[in-house]
């Protein structure tokens, strides 16, 4: 898969060239972190930190357009593979995270690598995030974090009140993401 990837998207011939940081390093596999305004840790009272790792930030050949790159490996690429990304908060968070390095990225190029028994396949999709989408994402993130903090406080800091506190759950694709966690839970698991 690695060999096939670099045959398809060789750093020497790729249409997207990695951005260069002030210290001369290329923007490949860089972490970011920023405090989520309006949140506070229930014990330290410091802001909750949002962190991530960008695969690459680059510039589209001859256009001057800055763009993020994210690689996705999978066992199956199909006609609907590109439908996974329009609302994916990961890329919205990356747009905000890129600002920690002084880059305003609003476009992401998602590169799919399908690892099949007999061959390696590829797919590509480009996603754009407008500023209003980033603003809405940040507001939702703030609400989600503050709700989790309040739930933690009820359950752990006020145990007599928190015995019957409900933790919000996600019944969407999270159960099949990241290797299908739900499929690995056994019937006899005490979970």
């Amino acid at each position: 898969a690695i060999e096939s990837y670099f045959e398809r998207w060789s750093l020497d011939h790729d249409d997207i060239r990695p951005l260069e940081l002030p210290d001369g390093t290329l923007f490949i596999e860089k972490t970011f972190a920023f405090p989520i305004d309006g949140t506070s840790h229930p014990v330290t009272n410091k802001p909750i930190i949002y962190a991530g790792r960008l695969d690459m930030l680059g510039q589209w050949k001859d256009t001057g357009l800055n763009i993020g790159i994210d690689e996705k490996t999978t066992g199956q690429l199909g006609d609907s593979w590109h439908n996974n990304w329009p609302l994916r908060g990961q890329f919205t968070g990356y747009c905000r995270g890129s600002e920690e390095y002084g880059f305003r990225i609003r476009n992401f190029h998602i590169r799919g690598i399908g690892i099949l028994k007999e061959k390696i396949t590829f797919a590509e999709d480009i996603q754009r995030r407008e500023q209003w989408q980033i603003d809405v994402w940040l507001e939702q993130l703030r609400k989600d974090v503050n709700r989790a903090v309040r739930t933690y406080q009820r359950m752990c800091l006020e145990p007599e009140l928190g015995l019957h506190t409900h933790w919000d759950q996600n019944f969407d694709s999270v159960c099949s993401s990241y290797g299908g966690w739900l499929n690995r839970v056994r019937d006899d698991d005490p979970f």
Side-chain angles (χ1 to χ4, degrees), residues 119-132:
K119 64 182 177 178
I120 305 296
T121 60
F122 299 98
E124 299 177 66
D125 192 49
I126 294 180
Q127 289 291 312
R128 176 159 178 80
R129 296 297 189 267
E130 301 296 338
Q131 186 61 48
W132 69 266

Side-chain angles (χ1 to χ4, degrees), residues 140-158:
Q140 186 63 53
L141 178 64
R142 183 179 304 110
K143 286 180 179 180
D144 290 344
V145 167
N146 285 330
R147 187 175 58 243
V149 167
R150 285 191 304 275
T151 302
Y152 168 82
Q153 288 170 326
R154 283 193 303 269
M155 292 185 75
C156 299
L157 304 179
E158 303 171 27

